[in-house]
Amino acid sequence: SRVATTKWAATAAACARGALGGALLSAALLPRLPQPAALVGARLLGASSGGPGPLVRSPWEAGQLSVGIPLRGLGSSLQDLSLRRQNRPHAHSDSDSAASADDDEDGLDEVLGAALAMVKKLTGMLDPLRRQLRDPAEAEEWQNKGNALMTLPKGKWHRGLAKTEAMDYSRLDESGSPVIMEIDLDPAKDFQANAKLCFKKARKITKALEKVVPLIEKTEDSLAEWDAKVESLQAWADERSKDGSLSPAARDGVERLRAELIEEGVLRLPKPPSEPTDPEQVARQAFKRKYGRDIDCFRSPGGHEVVVGRSSKQNEYVSLQLAKGDMVWFHTDNRIPGSHVLIRAPMSTVSDEDIEFAAKIAAYHSKGRDSFHVPVMYCQGHQVRKIKRTPLGMVSISGDKQQIIVSPELPED
């Protein structure tokens, strides 16, 4: 009837102005409406955009769907992307026209190679983005299923129901009545809960399209720009091969592109020349790390090695592996936690100055570092023992020990 035709034409126009724009009003929908309604809906759609607009195929439909999408809104954006991708000039990685790297005094070859790498990078970014595209008609279908489920009476549902039939008011049969659609259900959820699931799936597809399409658009624009820059660089390479050098304008262009590539992170700034190393400083650092990581090594005033553990594991190594016989072993006294320190020389050859030197290091590498005076005990290496089942880094001392009070201090390198 004329009333039904006008009603469904208005519904079609409302869909066209919805959040999905023209993309949700696919050509798959209009043929299912009565012919007058389809025509009116198409005219309303065209009037809202300034013209009827041709029906075109969307990127995801190539070889898969035979559905057209009006060239406006989201469908327009995707179609524009597809056409630009097909028509853009392809970058050639042929290096025959460029001079050899040995003659790259102007940096052209380096910039050309980096620009080609940029084109490859952007092309690689497009593929996963395109795979995320979904047909807007799929979102429309989930929305229609949700709307249909909301019209069903609650009494018709029972737990375990896996499938039901409902009227799809977005489509009419030949008699003008809504089409009966079959809908799969979650058996544990009622009609309203299943409808919410359908609406959620529709929103997910819509949001993905709204997010991915601008990214594709931006990447396509960048790719077209870098394609053009590669062509310019190749033209300058041909010019250099012919004339033997670049013109001033070409040199300026190469420098501008170099700056862009550095900003994009494709090219790196050349490292500044390093200052000449001090051989003595290198030797001091090598001596300090003589026993590896987490063990410091110093030279006492008397010329003896002073070894300091910087972790529980390395403390045990210093105390149980390096400490031998009558070597002098140090630790902060009065239960103050700290590093294990060792003078690798017999106690009989160690001077008072050496003992004070090592004790200050032990005080510095302890919990008493911020104190003005710290008690440090010392004994011979054979007095240090490990008790079974004690934490890593904990040892015991047997026999007599001596104590010295020092101020925490590290020797200058």
Side-chain angles (χ1 to χ4, degrees), residues 330-377:
F330 296 79
H331 194 279
T332 44
D333 209 353
N334 298 344
R335 297 182 178 274
I336 300 175
S339 293
H340 299 193
V341 180
L342 177 69
I343 298 180
R344 301 203 69 202
M347 182 173 285
S348 59
T349 65
V350 174
S351 66
D352 291 343
E353 190 177 8
D354 293 331
I355 289 176
E356 183 179 358
F357 177 88
K360 287 182 175 180
I361 296 174
Y364 183 86
H365 288 299
S366 75
K367 294 293 186 180
R369 177 188 300 187
D370 297 328
S371 302
F372 187 72
H373 291 123
V374 179
V376 177
M377 56 82 58

Side-chain angles (χ1 to χ4, degrees), residues 94-115:
D94 186 13
S95 59
D96 294 340
S97 61
S100 66
D102 295 338
D103 300 329
D104 191 28
E105 297 179 358
D106 44 37
L108 174 58
D109 293 339
E110 179 189 21
V111 174
L112 176 56

Side-chain angles (χ1 to χ4, degrees), residues 104 106-116 233 253-255 257-258 261 267:
D104 191 28
D106 44 37
L108 174 58
D109 293 339
E110 179 189 21
V111 174
L112 176 56
L116 286 169
L233 288 165
V254 170
E255 289 304 316
L257 291 180
R258 179 194 296 277
L261 288 164
L267 279 179

